[in-house]
Coordinates of all heavy atoms in Angstrom, one line a residue:
Chain A
T284 N 25.6 168.2 -150.8 CA 25.9 167.5 -149.7 C 24.7 166.7 -149.2 O 24.8 166.0 -148.3 CB 26.1 168.5 -148.5 OG1 25.2 169.4 -148.4 CG2 27.6 169.2 -148.7
K339 N 16.3 186.8 -153.7 CA 16.6 185.8 -154.6 C 15.9 186.1 -156.0 O 14.7 186.4 -156.0 CB 16.2 184.4 -154.0 CG 16.9 184.1 -152.9 CD 16.8 182.7 -152.5 CE 17.7 182.2 -151.4 NZ 18.2 183.3 -150.5
L366 N 26.8 180.4 -156.5 CA 28.0 181.0 -156.6 C 28.8 180.2 -157.6 O 28.9 179.0 -157.4 CB 28.8 181.0 -155.3 CG 28.0 181.6 -154.2 CD1 28.8 181.5 -152.8 CD2 27.8 183.2 -154.4
Y369 N 32.2 178.1 -156.2 CA 32.1 177.1 -155.1 C 31.4 175.9 -155.7 O 30.5 176.1 -156.6 CB 31.3 177.5 -153.9 CG 31.2 176.4 -152.7 CD1 32.3 176.3 -152.0 CD2 30.2 175.7 -152.6 CE1 32.3 175.3 -151.0 CE2 30.2 174.5 -151.8 CZ 31.3 174.4 -150.8 OH 31.3 173.5 -149.9
R383 N 17.0 177.9 -148.6 CA 17.1 178.8 -149.8 C 16.2 178.4 -151.0 O 15.6 179.2 -151.6 CB 18.5 179.1 -150.2 CG 19.4 179.7 -149.1 CD 20.8 179.0 -149.4 NE 20.9 177.7 -149.3 CZ 22.0 177.0 -149.4 NH1 23.1 177.6 -149.6 NH2 22.0 175.6 -149.2
A656 N 45.6 198.1 -117.3 CA 44.2 198.5 -117.5 C 43.1 197.5 -117.9 O 42.1 197.7 -117.7 CB 44.1 199.7 -118.6
P658 N 42.9 192.9 -118.7 CA 43.7 191.5 -119.0 C 44.0 191.6 -120.5 O 43.3 192.1 -121.2 CB 42.6 190.4 -118.8 CG 41.5 191.0 -118.0 CD 41.5 192.5 -118.2
N868 N 28.0 178.5 -91.8 CA 26.6 179.0 -92.1 C 25.6 178.1 -91.3 O 25.7 176.9 -91.1 CB 26.4 178.6 -93.7 CG 25.2 179.3 -94.1 OD1 24.6 180.2 -93.3 ND2 24.6 179.0 -95.2
Chain B
rC11 P 29.6 203.6 -114.5 OP1 29.0 203.2 -115.6 OP2 29.7 202.8 -113.2 O5' 31.2 203.9 -115.0 C5' 31.4 204.5 -116.2 C4' 33.0 204.6 -116.3 O4' 33.5 205.3 -115.2 C3' 33.7 203.3 -116.3 O3' 33.6 202.6 -117.5 C2' 35.1 203.8 -116.0 O2' 35.8 204.3 -117.0 C1' 34.9 204.9 -114.9 N1 34.9 204.3 -113.6 C2 36.1 203.8 -113.1 O2 37.1 204.1 -113.7 N3 36.2 203.4 -111.8 C4 35.0 203.1 -111.1 N4 35.2 202.6 -109.9 C5 33.8 203.5 -111.6 C6 33.7 204.0 -112.8
rG12 P 33.6 201.1 -117.7 OP1 33.2 200.6 -119.1 OP2 33.0 200.5 -116.5 O5' 35.3 200.8 -117.5 C5' 36.2 201.2 -118.4 C4' 37.6 200.9 -118.0 O4' 37.9 201.6 -116.8 C3' 37.8 199.4 -117.8 O3' 37.9 198.8 -119.0 C2' 39.1 199.5 -116.8 O2' 40.2 199.6 -117.8 C1' 38.8 200.8 -116.1 N9 38.2 200.5 -114.8 C8 36.9 200.4 -114.5 N7 36.7 200.1 -113.2 C5 37.9 199.7 -112.6 C6 38.3 199.3 -111.5 O6 37.6 199.1 -110.4 N1 39.7 199.1 -111.3 C2 40.5 199.3 -112.4 N2 41.7 199.1 -112.1 N3 40.2 199.8 -113.6 C4 38.8 199.9 -113.6
rA14 P 39.5 191.8 -114.8 OP1 40.5 191.1 -115.5 OP2 38.1 191.5 -114.9 O5' 39.9 192.0 -113.3 C5' 39.2 191.5 -112.3 C4' 39.9 191.5 -111.1 O4' 39.4 192.6 -110.2 C3' 39.5 190.3 -110.2 O3' 40.7 189.4 -110.5 C2' 39.4 190.8 -108.8 O2' 40.8 191.0 -108.1 C1' 38.9 192.1 -109.0 N9 37.4 192.4 -109.1 C8 36.6 192.7 -110.1 N7 35.2 192.7 -109.9 C5 35.2 192.3 -108.5 C6 34.2 192.1 -107.7 N6 32.9 192.3 -108.0 N1 34.5 191.7 -106.5 C2 35.9 191.6 -106.2 N3 36.8 191.8 -106.9 C4 36.6 192.1 -108.1
rC24 P 42.7 197.6 -102.2 OP1 43.7 197.7 -101.2 OP2 41.6 198.5 -102.2 O5' 43.4 197.8 -103.7 C5' 44.8 197.2 -103.9 C4' 45.1 197.4 -105.3 O4' 44.3 196.8 -106.3 C3' 44.9 198.8 -105.8 O3' 46.0 199.7 -105.4 C2' 44.9 198.7 -107.4 O2' 46.1 198.4 -107.9 C1' 43.8 197.4 -107.4 N1 42.5 197.7 -107.4 C2 42.0 198.1 -108.6 O2 42.8 198.1 -109.7 N3 40.6 198.4 -108.8 C4 39.8 198.3 -107.6 N4 38.7 198.7 -107.8 C5 40.5 198.1 -106.4 C6 41.8 197.7 -106.4
rC65 P 20.0 172.2 -99.3 OP1 20.4 171.2 -98.5 OP2 18.7 172.4 -99.9 O5' 20.6 173.6 -98.7 C5' 19.7 174.2 -97.6 C4' 20.4 175.2 -97.0 O4' 21.7 174.7 -96.4 C3' 21.0 176.2 -97.9 O3' 20.0 177.2 -98.2 C2' 22.2 176.8 -97.0 O2' 21.7 177.7 -96.2 C1' 22.8 175.6 -96.4 N1 23.9 175.0 -97.1 C2 25.1 175.7 -97.1 O2 25.2 176.6 -96.5 N3 26.1 175.0 -97.8 C4 26.0 173.9 -98.4 N4 27.1 173.3 -99.1 C5 24.7 173.2 -98.5 C6 23.8 173.8 -97.8
rC83 P 27.2 184.8 -148.7 OP1 28.4 185.3 -149.3 OP2 26.0 185.7 -148.5 O5' 26.8 183.4 -149.5 C5' 26.6 182.3 -148.8 C4' 25.1 181.9 -148.8 O4' 24.1 183.1 -149.1 C3' 24.7 180.9 -149.7 O3' 24.0 180.0 -149.2 C2' 24.1 181.6 -150.8 O2' 23.1 180.7 -151.5 C1' 23.3 182.6 -150.0 N1 22.9 183.8 -150.9 C2 21.6 184.1 -151.0 O2 20.7 183.3 -150.6 N3 21.1 185.1 -151.8 C4 22.0 185.9 -152.3 N4 21.6 186.9 -153.1 C5 23.6 185.6 -152.2 C6 23.8 184.7 -151.4
rC84 P 24.7 178.9 -148.0 OP1 23.7 177.7 -148.1 OP2 25.1 179.5 -146.9 O5' 26.0 178.4 -148.8 C5' 25.8 177.2 -149.8 C4' 27.3 176.6 -149.6 O4' 28.4 177.3 -150.2 C3' 27.7 176.3 -148.1 O3' 27.9 175.1 -147.6 C2' 28.9 177.1 -148.0 O2' 30.0 176.4 -147.3 C1' 29.5 177.5 -149.5 N1 29.9 179.0 -149.6 C2 31.1 179.1 -149.9 O2 32.0 178.2 -150.1 N3 31.6 180.4 -150.0 C4 30.6 181.4 -149.8 N4 31.0 182.8 -149.9 C5 29.3 181.2 -149.5 C6 28.9 180.0 -149.4
rA85 P 27.9 173.7 -147.9 OP1 28.0 173.0 -146.8 OP2 28.8 173.9 -148.9 O5' 26.4 173.3 -148.6 C5' 26.5 172.4 -149.4 C4' 25.1 172.5 -150.4 O4' 24.9 173.8 -150.8 C3' 25.1 171.7 -151.5 O3' 24.7 170.3 -151.2 C2' 24.2 172.3 -152.4 O2' 22.8 172.1 -152.0 C1' 24.4 173.8 -152.1 N9 25.4 174.4 -153.0 C8 26.5 173.9 -153.6 N7 27.2 174.7 -154.4 C5 26.4 175.9 -154.4 C6 26.7 177.1 -154.9 N6 27.6 177.3 -155.6 N1 25.9 178.1 -154.6 C2 24.9 177.8 -153.9 N3 24.5 176.8 -153.3 C4 25.3 175.7 -153.4

Side-chain angles (χ1 to χ4, degrees):
Chain A
T284 55
K339 291 195 173 30
L366 307 174
Y369 183 78
R383 296 152 303 179
N868 190 12

